[in-house]
Amino acid sequence: MSRKVLLVEDDRAIATVITEALRDEGFDLTACTSVAERDALLAKESYDVMLTDIMLEDGDGLDTIDRVHKCAPDMPIIVLSAQNTLDTAIRASDSQAFEYFPKPFDLDQLTHAVRQAAERIPRTEVEERNDVGSELPLIGRSRAMQDVYRMITRVLRNDLTVLVTGESGTGKELVAEAIHQLGSRRTGPFVAVNMAAIPRDLLESELFGHERGAFTGAQSQSIGKFEQANGGTLFLDEIGDMPAEAQTRLLRALQSGRIRRVGGRQEIAVDVRIVAATNRDLAPMIAGGLFREDLFYRLNVVPIHLPPLRERTDDIGALTRHFLAEARDEGLSLHTISDDAISRLSECEWRGNVRELRNFVFRMALMARNDVIEASLVDELLPPKTPANAGNTKIALEIALAEWLEREKPIEGTVYQQTLAAFEKPLIEHALRETHGNQLRAAQFLGINRNTLRKKLGELDIRPQRFAQRT
């Protein structure tokens, strides 16, 4: 017997595509275009799965979904929406949606989700959450951010450990805050600790606390971050900067759920959710013995990757307008911004990602002389580009290396390995780009053996075909 699917979608083109795809897969599909039609059909028939758009002809598909739950409490619901914000993803999660698909979606993925929903074991538990839509900290409707939103919604009803990766300035702490604020631990404390900002000899005391007299200067008992976060979320930022000896103690705490203060004898049970973050590639650090592999697996239960701003330029307009509103809240004048100015901002590299864009928008708000910020002001405030003939490759590499060292601040004693890990792949890709994918010429360009280059291509997952015949 074929599974029955109800599709609620007022875009007839989308409805036709979905109908044909699901019928080809053997589903018995009924389609309608409004909330009223949906309710009438559900009153007469039972369905195995429902797919619904949010903005319908006569109402909001999510705001009225409580009526669906009353007449079909075990029916999985898949939500489709062109309103691609974290707020929408959270609303879909709050409605107990089986899955959420932002438009445009991958038809094969949607079909697979319908099949999974039709075969799943019914679950009737309903959780309630306060309305926190206005407090959501992440902005962006790009496809890359949709993946982030969907991953966030999947960890809200559990305490799985999350590892957030991404370049500096992409908003990793905002992801951690969203997981805390929207999850089951939101009434508990949110405690953040930056591993790179704490001296190595004080890190264990900072995390686990210390007893009086544990070391010189320990004049009283101190409660560490783990105990401070008890019942809530502990955000371990820049986890890649953690020294090896502290990694061992952290692993033990994660495995046992218990900590011991420095200089103490008693083990203390702690109940914390861990969200860690790093802007480093931990794989080469593990290979070089700089980061414990078992700790990585303990942290990387649910990976969430934040894309750099250059991969989500469609979001620059929304981000810029949001930061202009923030600037007003900080006492600066209220400004709007022209489309030409947004286009100019979208052409910039933004190596510092969202953080750099925010600082630049505040600078524009301070310097703007008119109500509308135009592209001319963007050009005026942007730093001048280095001319192509300003120096040779050696000088450019030295500048890039100096900037990287200043930005990343690699751990003392590991600078060589971390610098090599950061620059080796882009250097080889540059050589392949210059030689249009010719491995022999690329090896000669680099001054290494061709077999060495081939080995590196495999280790670094570089496909030379990508650079072939590029002009």
Side-chain angles (χ1 to χ4, degrees):
M1 181 179 178
S2 61
R3 299 284 191 172
K4 297 176 66 175
V5 177
L6 176 61
L7 172 63
V8 191
E9 172 61 74
D10 58 3
D11 187 316
R12 298 191 183 279
I14 293 177
T16 299
V17 170
I18 294 175
T19 299
E20 292 178 355
L22 293 182
R23 284 178 176 167
D24 286 346
E25 291 292 320
F27 290 100
D28 178 6
L29 191 133
T30 301
C32 63
T33 61
S34 68
V35 172
E37 286 183 90
R38 178 202 71 189
D39 291 347
L41 287 166
L42 288 171
K44 296 186 298 182
E45 298 277 350
S46 62
Y47 296 89
D48 297 291
V49 184
M50 185 179 83
L51 286 77
T52 182
D53 192 10
I54 294 181
M55 300 304 294
L56 298 167
E57 294 176 349
D58 58 347
D60 187 304
L62 282 182
D63 285 348
T64 61
I65 214 163
D66 58 327
R67 302 206 294 265
V68 176
H69 285 308
K70 287 179 181 178
C71 63
D74 292 334
M75 181 180 64
I77 299 171
I78 295 176
V79 175
L80 314 172
S81 177
Q83 295 180 309
N84 303 335
T85 65
L86 178 56
D87 189 7
T88 306
I90 297 300
R91 288 180 64 212
S93 176
D94 287 345
S95 72
Q96 298 296 296
F98 178 83
E99 185 57 278
Y100 162 72
F101 282 93
K103 297 177 181 179
F105 47 79
D106 185 290
L107 192 58
D108 289 338
Q109 290 182 2
L110 178 64
T111 303
H112 180 67
V114 173
R115 190 180 303 112
Q116 285 185 317
E119 296 172 353
R120 77 165 197 156
I121 300 173
R123 185 182 69 180
T124 58
E125 177 186 358
V126 176
E127 297 176 9
E128 296 181 355
R129 189 194 316 277
N130 295 330
D131 180 10
V132 291
S134 62
E135 303 297 326
L136 302 178
L138 293 166
I139 295 170
R141 299 190 177 191
S142 61
R143 176 60 65 89
M145 288 305 294
Q146 298 312 304
D147 293 337
V148 173
Y149 298 159
R150 291 174 70 185
M151 290 302 297
I152 289 174
T153 61
R154 288 175 178 174
V155 299
L156 296 183
R157 292 184 174 85
N158 55 65
D159 283 333
L160 296 176
T161 301
V162 177
L163 179 62
V164 187
T165 58
E167 296 178 6
S168 294
T170 50
K172 296 184 289 296
E173 184 165 357
L174 294 180
V175 171
E177 291 176 355
I179 291 171
H180 175 76
Q181 292 172 10
L182 304 172
S184 59
R185 290 178 175 264
R186 61 188 175 277
T187 58
F190 177 82
V191 178
V193 54
N194 188 319
M195 300 298 181
I198 303 172
R200 295 166 65 97
D201 55 346
L202 296 179
L203 183 56
E204 291 190 35
S205 172
E206 188 76 13
L207 287 176
F208 307 114
H210 64 255
E211 299 290 353
R212 179 181 180 183
F215 50 83
T216 303
Q219 299 179 357
S220 62
Q221 184 189 75
S222 175
I223 302 300
K225 300 298 185 184
F226 265 88
E227 290 183 78
Q228 293 173 30
N230 197 40
T233 302
L234 177 59
F235 176 52
L236 303 176
D237 198 9
E238 304 302 351
I239 194 71
D241 291 313
M242 194 174 200
E245 57 273 17
Q247 291 179 31
T248 302
R249 288 202 62 180
L250 174 61
L251 177 63
R252 189 179 302 119
L254 297 181
Q255 289 173 333
S256 66
R258 307 179 73 84
I259 59 103
R260 181 182 295 170
R261 299 184 190 126
V262 176
R265 298 181 178 181
Q266 180 183 3
E267 286 198 334
I268 302 167
V270 288
D271 174 27
V272 298
R273 187 202 191 132
I274 299 293
V275 179
T278 181
N279 62 3
R280 301 182 183 277
D281 184 355
L282 295 181
M285 295 182 65
I286 292 170
L290 303 174
F291 198 85
R292 291 187 62 123
E293 187 173 20
D294 46 4
L295 177 58
F296 171 75
Y297 290 129
R298 177 66 65 169
L299 294 171
N300 195 44
V301 178
V302 181
I304 297 179
H305 179 69
L306 268 177
L309 190 54
R310 61 182 175 275
E311 293 180 7
R312 46 178 294 222
T313 54
D314 290 349
D315 293 334
I316 286 179
L319 287 164
T320 298
R321 294 182 178 93
H322 173 77
F323 294 144
L324 283 172
E326 274 193 1
R328 176 198 58 195
D329 295 340
E330 292 293 329
L332 298 175
S333 299
L334 176 62
H335 297 281
T336 58
I337 188 166
S338 70
D339 291 341
D340 286 344
I342 293 294
S343 297
R344 182 68 189 91
L345 292 172
S346 299
E347 296 169 358
C348 298
E349 188 175 358
W350 301 118
R351 294 171 62 183
N353 293 295
V354 178
R355 183 186 297 126
E356 182 185 3
L357 175 64
R358 180 181 185 275
N359 293 339
F360 187 81
V361 171
F362 271 59
R363 193 180 313 140
M364 288 195 304
L366 176 66
M367 301 301 294
R369 293 173 290 275
N370 302 311
D371 292 339
V372 180
I373 294 174
E374 300 290 352
S376 57
L377 179 62
V378 177
D379 291 331
E380 179 184 332
L381 297 180
L382 283 174
K385 291 185 177 180
T386 303
N389 60 354
N392 56 25
T393 302
K394 181 175 181 295
I395 294 175
L397 284 173
E398 288 176 350
I399 294 173
L401 176 59
E403 291 177 346
W404 183 85
L405 290 170
E406 175 63 25
R407 184 173 66 252
E408 302 299 333
K409 294 180 173 58
I411 301 170
E412 183 180 346
T414 66
V415 174
Y416 176 78
Q417 294 94 326
Q418 292 188 49
T419 305
L420 183 63
F423 280 84
E424 189 173 29
K425 184 172 182 177
L427 180 60
I428 291 175
E429 288 180 336
H430 171 73
L432 290 167
R433 191 175 296 109
E434 290 291 312
T435 58
H436 307 301
N438 186 305
Q439 295 181 46
L440 177 59
R441 290 178 54 205
Q444 293 171 343
F445 177 89
L446 293 166
I448 61 176
N449 184 279
R450 185 177 181 180
N451 290 333
T452 302
L453 176 61
R454 284 178 173 173
K455 180 181 178 183
K456 292 294 183 183
L457 294 177
E459 291 175 350
L460 300 172
D461 191 25
I462 299 174
R463 299 190 301 277
Q465 297 85 352
R466 290 170 44 210
F467 307 93
Q469 303 301 318
R470 182 171 293 186
T471 59

